[in-house]
Amino acid sequence: MFAKSRIECPQLRKKIMSAEEAVSFIHDKQTVGMSGFTGAGYPKSIPAALVEKAKSLRVSNQPFRINLWTGASTAPELDGVLAAIDGINMRLPYQSDPVCRQQINDGLMDYVDIHLSEVSQNAWSGFLGKLDIAVIEVAAIHADGRIIPSSSVGNNKTWVEQADMVILEVNDQQSVKLEGMHDIYYGTALAPNRKPILLTSPSDRIGEKYLSIPIEKIVAVVETSAPDRNSAFNPPDQISNQIADHILDFFSHEIKKGRLPKELLPIQSGVGNIPNAVLSGLEQGGYKNLTAYTEVIQDGMLGMLKSGSLSVVSATAFSLSPQALDEFNENIDFYRDKIILRQQDISNHPEIARRLGIIAMNGLIEADIYGNVNSTHIMGSRIMNGIGGSGDFARNGYLSIFMTPSICKNGAISAIVPMVSHVDHTEHDVKVIVTEQGLADLRGLSPRQRAKVVIEKCAHPLFKDRLYDYFDRACASKRGMHTPHILNEALSWHHNFETNGQM
Ligand code: COA
């Protein structure tokens, strides 16, 4: 059933074993660095084998919980199954799984939410502790040991370098034609030994096509045959299209003003329905030869590559629906020279984001009238997903655009509030806020000027008068000052929701 030819290296063929045998290398309380970024390139069989191992150990009252590091979020077959048996002690650097989220918010799992560009330097600097073992999905292994990476790169390079041991999963559902799409950069170092990263365009290749792993570190090779799992996107709804229209108008305005070239600047786009609507708006708007320097390659980008709207996409992972994945695999020869997959410390690197002048477009949970953005916590306390790469791009890019519907939960919650209940992106990093109501361009404005623009352009009519009332009273109070607030009222909207179910 398995294509044995995918493991051509004779030394590694000797290490082929089942997932059940391979998990004998993983012990209670160990730290495991797994591949995986969004639903792409995560190990498909070791997590389930770990679940079985934990269950059987627990029958004889022996504990089994691991610390789990990945590239970013993964899939129910990794985060979901391990969280469901309370098998994760500590998780980093990003997750979006409902079971995992519940465990974190119940205080049963520690979660360290890190800027994705920083994970590898934190690991190298020793801030995260020791990495015992890496479990990495790959597409194939050549006879001379060269390893073709899988559908995501994420932190794989760092994990295999840092871990004492490596388990490889060779997945025959990943196309061998991914060979040549990766660009693994081996020039990083810790300060003070760093050199400039010589990447000046999203299409530049600065590294190797293969993932290097010292062969003696590889203790097990497991063959798998399972597809990546990424959910399908809904067609853009009216709100997403309205948000996209505001952004497209803004781009046209910036081109007219000479502040953006007609090919824009490299785009970074979060995943989801709103970013997908923006991408399709760009394509329909006749843009040509755009580039993307982003984290994930999503459905809309394939169509844009086909139509010439996009010329190249640099990312660290795919995040394709099953239909888009089929289309990609059928036409992979067309896409090969237009897609580059890099490790996440390069795809999200601050130096590169600043040099390229990235246009960053990400979602938010709430924004306040002064332009601070909360991307991660519901009502100040409950984690949703994590900061991901949004901070890498927002602070270092040329334009940081944050987008959201202006209300949620049928109007019980306003996305624009007097004061955010948690801050991920400060007023200094947020250039533009967009809702379906309109777009607030905050560049060059003082706090009081920003408040007027945010309320006028972005707030839903249900909440606009109350926001103006709050702002006017805050300005009039003796404590008004530079960023006017009424402290005992600033978070009262959240308190109202927690007590009455309505802000
Ligand atoms: N208060 C309470 N709940 C809120 C809320 C608010 N202000 N805003 C949104 N929500 C809820 C929604 O109701 C929804 O709940 P549900 O799942 O029960 O329906 C949930 O949060 C998600 O909201 P949605 O509007 O579907 O958001 P999304 O899928 O566009 O994601 C973020 C928005 C902010 C959660 C997401 O973009 C994210 O995780 N961002 C951080 C990381 C990031 O930016 N990554 C990309 C760049 S690398």
Side-chain angles (χ1 to χ4, degrees):
M1 183 175 91
F2 293 116
K4 294 284 183 203
S5 62
R6 290 239 173 158
I7 305 161
E8 291 170 349
C9 173
Q11 289 126 293
L12 291 180
R13 286 192 62 78
K14 289 187 198 140
K15 295 183 179 170
I16 296 174
M17 63 185 81
S18 69
E20 291 68 33
E21 291 168 312
V23 295
S24 66
F25 292 103
I26 303 176
H27 306 292
D28 180 42
K29 297 191 181 60
Q30 281 196 322
T31 298
V32 186
M34 295 206 190
S35 58
F37 198 108
T38 59
Y42 58 93
K44 307 293 189 295
S45 69
I46 294 290
L50 285 174
V51 169
E52 290 313 309
K53 174 168 176 157
K55 283 183 181 166
S56 69
L57 284 170
R58 287 173 188 179
V59 169
S60 52
N61 287 326
Q62 298 178 70
F64 187 84
R65 291 178 96 209
I66 59 167
N67 302 316
L68 175 63
W69 305 355
T70 60
S73 56
T74 61
E77 294 92 332
L78 200 180
D79 272 314
V81 295
L82 282 167
I85 58 142
D86 191 21
I88 306 174
N89 177 51
M90 191 274 258
R91 179 79 178 89
L92 65 81
Y94 183 83
Q95 61 73 45
S96 62
D97 181 84
V99 191
C100 211
R101 181 183 299 142
Q102 190 66 46
Q103 289 269 113
I104 296 165
N105 286 323
D106 288 347
L108 300 172
M109 186 193 300
D110 284 317
Y111 178 43
V112 185
D113 179 19
I114 309 178
H115 293 301
L116 295 186
S117 72
E118 276 195 353
V119 183
S120 81
Q121 78 163 6
N122 285 359
W124 277 109
S125 305
F127 300 162
L128 307 178
K130 179 173 178 292
L131 181 63
D132 295 294
I133 188 157
V135 180
I136 308 291
E137 182 184 90
V138 301
I141 306 172
H142 284 302
D144 56 7
R146 282 173 304 147
I147 292 171
I148 305 176
S150 174
S151 51
S152 69
V153 182
N155 283 314
N156 295 354
K157 171 185 171 285
T158 301
W159 294 169
V160 300
E161 287 172 341
Q162 289 266 301
D164 294 338
M165 288 186 273
V166 177
I167 298 175
L168 292 181
E169 284 199 5
V170 183
N171 184 357
D172 75 0
Q173 297 271 310
Q174 298 290 0
S175 174
V176 280
K177 290 190 170 182
L178 286 171
E179 183 168 8
M181 281 191 178
H182 306 91
D183 191 63
I184 317 288
Y185 179 62
Y186 285 92
T188 55
L190 287 177
N193 300 312
R194 288 187 171 148
K195 301 274 186 299
I197 298 169
L198 296 177
L199 192 153
T200 57
S201 149
S203 59
D204 286 350
R205 289 186 169 275
I206 56 171
E208 311 291 327
K209 291 176 184 166
Y210 303 97
L211 183 63
S212 296
I213 309 179
I215 215 153
E216 60 283 0
K217 267 196 185 184
I218 302 172
V219 292
V221 181
V222 178
E223 290 171 304
T224 64
S225 186
D228 283 338
R229 285 217 198 283
N230 279 302
S231 35
F233 290 115
N234 301 322
D237 56 16
Q238 195 192 349
I239 299 271
S240 303
N241 283 330
Q242 284 170 317
I243 293 172
D245 287 347
H246 295 311
I247 293 176
L248 294 163
D249 286 349
F250 173 70
F251 286 157
S252 305
H253 176 260
E254 290 300 294
I255 292 169
K256 275 197 204 107
K257 287 269 180 189
R259 293 191 289 235
L260 278 177
K262 68 181 187 341
E263 303 82 18
L264 303 179
L265 286 164
I267 291 165
Q268 176 268 327
S269 167
V271 280
N273 292 321
I274 301 174
N276 248 4
V278 176
L279 293 176
S280 91
L282 286 169
E283 187 174 18
Q284 285 158 21
Y287 283 91
K288 291 285 171 206
N289 289 321
L290 305 177
T291 59
Y293 197 83
T294 191
E295 269 176 25
V296 293
I297 296 163
Q298 46 197 303
D299 287 18
M301 289 177 175
L302 295 187
M304 291 174 81
L305 286 170
K306 277 251 162 98
S307 68
S309 183
L310 261 181
S311 59
V312 68
V313 182
S314 165
T316 193
F318 288 97
S319 179
L320 299 176
S321 67
Q323 297 85 336
L325 183 59
D326 288 346
E327 196 278 330
F328 169 75
N329 279 328
E330 275 162 33
N331 297 294
I332 196 162
D333 291 328
F334 168 81
Y335 291 116
R336 181 167 302 95
D337 63 345
K338 300 171 185 67
I339 289 179
I340 302 169
L341 291 175
R342 312 179 192 274
Q343 69 248 41
Q344 70 194 63
D345 43 314
I346 298 296
S347 67
N348 288 36
H349 202 291
E351 173 193 334
I352 300 169
R354 181 63 62 93
R355 179 182 301 131
L356 298 182
I358 284 172
I359 300 176
M361 295 183 279
N362 293 298
L364 63 80
I365 285 173
E366 59 181 9
D368 69 28
I369 55 177
Y370 297 112
N372 299 289
V373 162
N374 169 8
S375 293
T376 57
H377 284 71
I378 304 291
M379 303 295 148
S381 297
R382 291 191 296 282
I383 192 80
M384 173 56 83
N385 303 322
I387 194 163
S390 55
D392 296 322
F393 297 109
R395 173 155 293 181
N396 302 299
Y398 174 71
L399 275 176
S400 56
I401 302 176
F402 284 93
M403 353 177 243
T404 182
S406 64
I407 51 172
C408 72
K409 306 290 180 209
N410 297 320
I413 292 173
S414 171
I416 308 298
V417 289
M419 182 186 266
V420 283
S421 58
H422 174 94
V423 191
D424 293 291
H425 310 289
T426 73
E427 56 179 317
H428 313 285
D429 299 331
V430 177
K431 305 284 194 298
V432 173
I433 297 175
V434 199
T435 69
E436 79 290 353
Q437 302 293 324
L439 181 145
D441 179 357
L442 307 180
R443 293 171 297 172
L445 301 186
S446 70
R448 288 175 193 233
Q449 290 171 323
R450 287 201 296 268
K452 288 182 195 155
V453 175
V454 170
I455 299 171
E456 190 53 36
K457 300 283 185 179
C458 299
H460 192 278
L462 281 172
F463 293 97
K464 204 176 238 181
D465 289 347
R466 281 177 58 204
L467 285 167
Y468 273 130
D469 175 56
Y470 174 85
F471 174 63
D472 290 343
R473 285 186 295 111
C475 289
S477 85
K478 287 200 179 111
R479 300 191 61 263
M481 304 191 193
H482 179 59
T483 304
H485 268 304
I486 306 169
L487 285 186
N488 62 359
E489 229 184 277
L491 294 172
S492 62
W493 292 35
H494 302 84
H495 183 68
N496 289 344
F497 179 77
E498 294 281 65
T499 46
N500 311 319
Q502 173 72 48
M503 275 187 164

